[in-house]
Amino acid sequence: MSPSSSTPTLLVDLGGTNVRLGVADTSRDRPLLTDSIRRYRVAEHDSLVATAQHYLADTGLKVSRAVVAAAGRIVDGETVKVTNNPWAISAQQTASALNLEYVHLVNDFAAQSMAVTLLQGDDLVDVGTAPRPVVGAEAEQTFAIVGPGTGLGVGGLLVRGGHCSVLQTEGGHAGFAAHTPEDIAILDYLNHKYGRVSNERLICGQGLVNLYDAICHMVGAQPDTLKPEDITARAKADSCPLCTRTVETFAGIFGSVAGDLVLTLGAWNGVYLTGGLIPILLPWLERGRFRERFEAKGRFRDIMEKVPTQAIMNPEPGLLGAAALAVLESGGTLLPRRQE
């Protein structure tokens, strides 16, 4: 847990429910120091500064700068109001309070997009049969990163001439496009409940509950009061047909959303599926409905069949991406030298 004295960087992955902290040693091939990682509940702390002070006191680590990946829109690189989280963060105020050289604020899915450059073989599981891509193997590549957690995050990774950059988006708030009779019935139910229905209303933890309630309404059943983890547990145990149908429907709609993202970004080189729900839902993603709807893009089906999808199984993609950004800021490189 002793990072290089030249570039000790505090890493923060801030979501709606949890905040994770760690430290990067940018001189290492694997810059994220895994034994430095700690997780705290947002509800148990007043601010990011207080949490970081607690973390540094806990670990005894010394840092000179920070990369903060936050689940919200970054305004002028300086402030962020975190979605689904009461904290508001200023980069300058945080740097001053923690006595740091600077604090770099980025969208959480900008970090998760950059994490792709540091993923190792065991960090990924192929969903479908399209060959796994090699990031940096071509002069130009475009990848999409999408994933459900507390909300639905969307980002992009661009490789251009040996350099990589990220797209910071709020694509999870794009409107839900219904394609099947079941989709239309779900949209109608959620429209009456919420008004406008975004993809995030369906593809996130609470989205599982929304889908379950909608499906119960469609079949005339009285829904139980369930949490997302209750639905997935019942589906895994095969003890509740409506819960099983919920996760199957979730997988299909998620595939449709991910496929639309490929078309929108031109992410022909691949899609990375991330977020806290992915390891839990992986069996249903692998069973076919995800890829079936991912590929069902009319005249673009032949192309979509060739676009690989992979599930990120590394438990800390947000911190890994923040570490990747720290490497770039220290003058390092992330992509392998391409063979001409």
Side-chain angles (χ1 to χ4, degrees), residues 3-12 21-27 52 55-56 61-68 91 94-96 98-105 322-323 325-332:
S4 166
S5 60
S6 59
T7 53
T9 303
L10 176 67
L11 310 173
V12 181
L21 294 96
V23 167
D25 177 349
T26 59
S27 68
Y55 168 81
L56 294 172
L61 292 167
K62 304 295 182 183
V63 295
S64 59
R65 61 198 67 166
V67 177
V68 178
T94 302
S96 176
L98 296 176
N99 195 28
L100 302 177
E101 295 171 12
Y102 66 81
V103 171
H104 181 189
L105 287 181
L325 289 165
V327 170
L328 291 181
E329 291 174 1
S330 70

Side-chain angles (χ1 to χ4, degrees), residues 72-124:
R73 182 174 179 270
I74 312 301
V75 179
D76 298 328
E78 162 58 19
T79 60
V80 60
K81 174 61 181 73
V82 185
T83 308
N84 303 316
N85 178 315
W87 295 353
I89 298 166
S90 159
Q92 289 186 352
Q93 291 176 6
T94 302
S96 176
L98 296 176
N99 195 28
L100 302 177
E101 295 171 12
Y102 66 81
V103 171
H104 181 189
L105 287 181
V106 297
N107 175 266
D108 62 330
F109 261 73
Q112 297 226 22
S113 299
M114 194 62 79
V116 169
T117 63
L118 293 179
L119 293 173
Q120 306 288 327
D122 292 344
D123 292 328
L124 296 167

Side-chain angles (χ1 to χ4, degrees), residues 15-307:
T17 305
N18 298 305
V19 55
R20 294 172 170 82
L21 294 96
V23 167
D25 177 349
T26 59
S27 68
R28 299 189 181 190
D29 289 339
R30 297 190 176 188
L32 174 60
L33 304 181
T34 56
D35 56 356
S36 73
I37 297 170
R38 301 287 188 277
R39 185 179 74 172
Y40 303 92
R41 300 279 293 182
V42 168
E44 296 173 1
H45 294 81
D46 294 331
S47 67
L48 175 60
V49 168
T51 310
Q53 290 171 334
H54 184 180
Y55 168 81
L56 294 172
D58 276 352
T59 62
L61 292 167
K62 304 295 182 183
V63 295
S64 59
R65 61 198 67 166
V67 177
V68 178
R73 182 174 179 270
I74 312 301
V75 179
D76 298 328
E78 162 58 19
T79 60
V80 60
K81 174 61 181 73
V82 185
T83 308
N84 303 316
N85 178 315
W87 295 353
I89 298 166
S90 159
Q92 289 186 352
Q93 291 176 6
T94 302
S96 176
L98 296 176
N99 195 28
L100 302 177
E101 295 171 12
Y102 66 81
V103 171
H104 181 189
L105 287 181
V106 297
N107 175 266
D108 62 330
F109 261 73
Q112 297 226 22
S113 299
M114 194 62 79
V116 169
T117 63
L118 293 179
L119 293 173
Q120 306 288 327
D122 292 344
D123 292 328
L124 296 167
V125 172
D126 297 319
V127 178
T129 58
R132 183 181 296 184
V134 177
V135 178
E138 302 173 27
E140 291 195 6
Q141 295 173 305
T142 302
F143 301 94
I145 293 83
V146 57
T150 303
L152 176 63
V154 173
L157 176 68
L158 307 180
V159 176
R160 300 291 186 269
H163 300 280
C164 51
S165 59
V166 296
L167 293 174
Q168 303 192 43
T169 89
E170 289 296 337
H173 297 282
F176 169 56
H179 295 290
T180 69
E182 182 184 57
D183 285 359
I184 293 168
I186 290 169
L187 176 59
D188 181 68
Y189 174 83
L190 295 179
N191 182 255
H192 280 87
K193 184 174 183 179
Y194 294 113
R196 179 182 183 272
V197 179
S198 68
N199 288 325
E200 185 172 270
R201 289 293 188 190
L202 295 90
I203 308 302
C204 69
Q206 182 59 36
L208 277 168
V209 178
N210 288 336
L211 282 171
Y212 169 75
D213 289 345
I215 289 170
C216 288
H217 175 78
M218 288 159 52
V219 302
Q222 180 64 37
D224 293 333
T225 302
L226 300 180
K227 297 178 180 179
E229 55 268 31
D230 299 326
I231 295 170
T232 54
R234 290 185 179 191
K236 183 177 180 180
D238 201 21
S239 62
C240 172
L242 291 175
C243 289
T244 299
R245 180 175 172 181
T246 296
V247 295
E248 290 173 347
T249 300
F250 184 104
I253 293 174
F254 187 25
S256 185
V257 170
D260 285 346
L261 184 58
V262 170
L263 299 178
T264 302
L265 297 182
W268 312 117
N269 297 103
V271 179
Y272 292 86
L273 313 175
T274 187
L277 289 177
I278 294 300
I280 300 167
L281 295 174
L282 184 61
W284 289 278
L285 298 178
E286 293 178 314
R287 284 173 190 164
R289 291 195 71 180
F290 175 88
R291 282 297 307 196
E292 176 187 330
R293 290 194 54 169
F294 178 85
E295 296 169 5
K297 300 302 177 187
R299 289 167 289 178
F300 279 81
R301 175 180 284 276
D302 289 349
I303 295 174
M304 296 298 295
E305 289 174 351
K306 298 180 177 67
V307 177

